[in-house]
Amino acid sequence: MTISLYDATIPTYLQITNACLAQLEKAQAWCTETNTAEQDIVQSRIIEDMYPLAYQIKSVHTHSVGALEGLKQGVFSPNMDEAPGDLAGLKSKLQAAVDYLQNVDKDELNGRVGAPMRFEFKDYNLPFTAETFLFSFSQPNFYFHATTAYDLLRAKGVPVGKLDFLGALQIQQ
């Protein structure tokens, strides 16, 4: 059986993005229950020189929606816009990603297989094909940032566990 580019990306992008959204819902409720300032969560870092939770969530969007938009243009550059500064804004960013991902045209995405793709940042330039860009660059980044966001929430005390990270599994029906 052959698996399509769409099938290898979109379902898991949706699974994990929805899971991140649910984790932020739990974080928001936890902040209210524990009288914790949202900024303590949104700006949390594991170590001083890393980006905060807000950036991690923004990057989940960037390495799903941004990557797919980059495929259409044949070039991807990282989004350097400032991340939303509160949980509501971060949830909105993830909801926008879910809405986008639910409407990706399967044939259009599958039609990009083999198409040239380029990563550009400042003077840095890497050539890919659409699929090697997604599988070796954007998907690993997507999972890195989703995992880091989960780890930050967990480290702050938000009651999330492995099933919260996994979200709704794609079980056979």
Side-chain angles (χ1 to χ4, degrees):
M1 176 180 106
T2 302
I3 186 167
S4 71
L5 189 57
Y6 180 96
D7 293 334
T9 56
I10 301 305
T12 54
Y13 279 157
L14 279 165
Q15 178 181 338
I16 300 301
T17 302
N18 274 311
C20 287
L21 188 54
Q23 291 168 45
L24 292 184
E25 291 283 351
K26 281 191 170 189
Q28 198 165 37
W30 181 82
C31 284
T32 300
E33 291 166 11
T34 62
N35 201 28
T36 300
E38 282 191 15
Q39 286 303 300
D40 289 348
I41 299 293
V42 172
Q43 293 304 317
S44 64
R45 303 164 191 255
I46 294 172
I47 192 164
E48 193 65 31
D49 68 346
M50 75 179 293
Y51 288 110
L53 174 74
Y55 180 87
Q56 307 304 326
I57 295 296
K58 180 189 86 141
S59 294
V60 168
H61 183 281
T62 297
H63 288 288
S64 57
V65 173
L68 295 168
E69 282 295 308
L71 288 184
K72 291 178 183 179
Q73 300 165 11
V75 64
F76 172 87
S77 294
N79 179 332
M80 301 310 289
D81 294 343
E82 190 169 322
D86 59 11
L87 290 173
L90 294 172
K91 289 179 356 187
S92 178
K93 189 86 169 162
L94 290 179
Q95 186 60 58
V98 168
D99 294 344
Y100 178 94
L101 293 165
Q102 288 175 330
N103 290 296
V104 170
D105 184 280
K106 188 174 191 171
D107 292 333
E108 183 181 345
L109 180 55
N110 289 337
R112 299 296 305 160
V113 172
M117 179 64 190
R118 195 172 65 256
F119 169 83
E120 290 181 354
F121 184 66
K122 298 181 181 177
D123 294 333
Y124 202 57
N125 189 327
L126 295 172
F128 293 98
T129 62
E131 62 274 20
T132 59
F133 169 73
L134 287 175
F135 298 149
S136 71
F137 183 80
S138 266
Q139 275 190 329
N141 271 287
F142 173 84
Y143 286 110
F144 172 85
H145 292 293
T147 302
T148 303
Y150 165 84
D151 292 342
L152 286 163
L153 293 173
R154 177 101 181 178
K156 290 302 270 184
V158 176
V160 292
K162 186 175 184 177
L163 293 178
D164 294 298
F165 177 81
L166 293 175
L169 302 176
Q170 302 167 43
I171 59 174
Q172 184 178 4
Q173 300 198 16

